[in-house]
Amino acid sequence: MSNSARPVHPVHPARPVQAASPVHSWDEFTTLREVVVGTAVGARLPGQSDPSSWLSCFPKTRAADLGSIPVGAYSQQVVEETEEDLDALVATLRGLGVTVHQPEVVDHAAEFAAPHWKADGGFHSYCPRDLTLVVGETVIEVASPMRARYFEVFGLRGLFQEYLRGGARWLAAPRPQLNDELFEFDADGLPLLGEAEPVFDAANVLRLGRDVFYQVSRSGNELGLRWLESTLGLLGDLRLHPLRDIYGYTHIDSTIALLRPGLVLLNPERISPETVPEPLRGWDILWCPPAEPSADSTEPEPEHSLSESWISMNLLMVSPDTAIVESDQWSLIKQLEHAGITVLPHRLRHSRVLGGGFHCVTLDIRRDGGLEDYLS
């Protein structure tokens, strides 16, 4: 048969290929591909007469001592040295092939107000993980209980719009009113987070494939837990595990660090062998050693720091066998290396001053892992 005699078949247009979402992060440890790294530019400490700032920044400090805490812009030295350290982190991540973004500069000194309160300005863009939760292909802006952080995420809005155009989901928790009735006090006069409305920081949450952990504390209430549970039900077959009576102050990532499937780093001051969260029982446990003092800072730690010494365990996993850890924490580094984890030591000289370690100052956007069941 000649070529001209071959039967002709109708040509159907090919179906368009569904593009992969630009956002894909289900856990804390699989290989990192894209991340946001924070910035200290414009960082300032809000006035502590605001109950939400007192609750979020110094919940263990008595009211009579708040006036001794210097507020306003951080020193030029703190900002410049932190920017040097963050630049080194960015260089390392890019050297590993990770795409890195940073927030747009925000004027945190600008005052703003809601109908029932006024803020003397914002906070900082140093900890992008605090206010944004990535679950799979969805970006969730959370409802922080801290008034000074109300508009902080605007420094990432341009990036989130790009992700939306690329096929990602973009949600936001109900904008909180943050009225005075949300902020309560214990018998000693120290601030507590009430239940007037759902509020929580994203840093109260850890992700483990189809399992999500939520720490109920002064930075995340029970109504926030309920809202997140209702929302996760829209995103897939996910299980939310409340963590109560573990650490009552702020975020979870100086208490529990998920290193790889079956291996977890725990804070021995806050968790004991008898109080390991039930889903993690049966995992191999590394008990974090006490923090070792930094020999790198040229400025002494202030009397009032935003983070306790356990910020030393606030590490970033860039793959299941590679971690970025504060360079002075030699005991922790040796422990991780003994567990088969390669450590990339980095300095972060003012992590306690500014309130965040390597997990806090990063927000992973894409990792290789999927909706895995690591607990069954």
Side-chain angles (χ1 to χ4, degrees), residues 298-321:
T298 57
E299 185 175 272
E301 295 286 358
E303 180 182 355
H304 298 282
S305 296
L306 289 176
S307 294
E308 296 182 347
S309 64
W310 290 107
I311 200 69
S312 61
M313 68 173 284
N314 191 272
L315 51 79
L316 175 67
M317 299 302 296
V318 293
S319 74
D321 56 10

Side-chain angles (χ1 to χ4, degrees), residues 158-214:
L159 183 62
F160 293 168
Q161 288 180 189
E162 288 182 24
Y163 292 149
L164 179 67
R165 293 188 183 100
R169 302 184 190 94
W170 181 15
L171 305 177
R175 292 297 87 195
Q177 299 179 76
L178 302 182
N179 294 335
D180 286 347
E181 56 264 30
L182 178 63
F183 307 105
E184 301 177 356
F185 299 90
D186 65 16
D188 296 320
L190 296 176
L192 293 172
L193 182 61
E195 295 291 338
E197 60 184 339
V199 287
F200 69 99
D201 282 351
N204 277 56
V205 179
L206 290 176
R207 303 151 308 137
L208 181 64
R210 67 169 296 206
D211 293 279
V212 177
F213 296 88
Y214 177 106

Side-chain angles (χ1 to χ4, degrees), residues 74 78 82 85 124 126-127 294 297 301 305-314 326 329 346-358 360-361:
Y74 284 97
V78 166
T82 300
D85 296 345
H124 57 43
Y126 174 71
C127 294
S294 173
S297 177
E301 295 286 358
S305 296
L306 289 176
S307 294
E308 296 182 347
S309 64
W310 290 107
I311 200 69
S312 61
M313 68 173 284
N314 191 272
E326 208 283 317
Q329 303 308 313
H346 270 266
R347 64 183 182 178
L348 197 52
R349 282 168 279 185
H350 301 289
S351 59
R352 290 193 63 192
V353 176
L354 291 170
F358 289 110
C360 301
V361 303

Side-chain angles (χ1 to χ4, degrees), residues 266-277 285 287:
L266 298 180
N267 183 326
E269 191 174 273
R270 302 172 186 170
I271 299 177
S272 69
E274 294 74 32
T275 61
V276 172
I285 296 173
W287 296 101

Side-chain angles (χ1 to χ4, degrees), residues 92-226:
T92 291
L93 291 169
R94 286 178 173 157
L96 295 171
V98 179
T99 299
V100 180
H101 307 276
Q102 291 193 274
E104 298 175 5
V105 174
V106 174
D107 181 10
H108 293 293
E111 296 183 356
F112 54 89
H116 301 289
W117 51 266
K118 182 178 180 179
D120 65 358
F123 189 23
H124 57 43
S125 299
Y126 174 71
C127 294
R129 194 178 297 269
D130 285 0
L131 302 187
T132 302
L133 176 63
V134 175
V135 180
E137 299 178 353
T138 304
V139 174
I140 303 174
E141 293 183 25
V142 303
S144 175
M146 186 174 176
R147 292 167 174 169
R149 307 192 82 170
Y150 210 86
F151 298 107
E152 183 177 313
V153 78
F154 279 17
L156 292 173
R157 278 288 176 88
L159 183 62
F160 293 168
Q161 288 180 189
E162 288 182 24
Y163 292 149
L164 179 67
R165 293 188 183 100
R169 302 184 190 94
W170 181 15
L171 305 177
R175 292 297 87 195
Q177 299 179 76
L178 302 182
N179 294 335
D180 286 347
E181 56 264 30
L182 178 63
F183 307 105
E184 301 177 356
F185 299 90
D186 65 16
D188 296 320
L190 296 176
L192 293 172
L193 182 61
E195 295 291 338
E197 60 184 339
V199 287
F200 69 99
D201 282 351
N204 277 56
V205 179
L206 290 176
R207 303 151 308 137
L208 181 64
R210 67 169 296 206
D211 293 279
V212 177
F213 296 88
Y214 177 106
Q215 177 174 270
V216 178
S217 72
R218 284 169 170 80
S219 54
N221 63 10
E222 294 281 356
L223 273 177
L225 169 71
R226 183 174 298 182

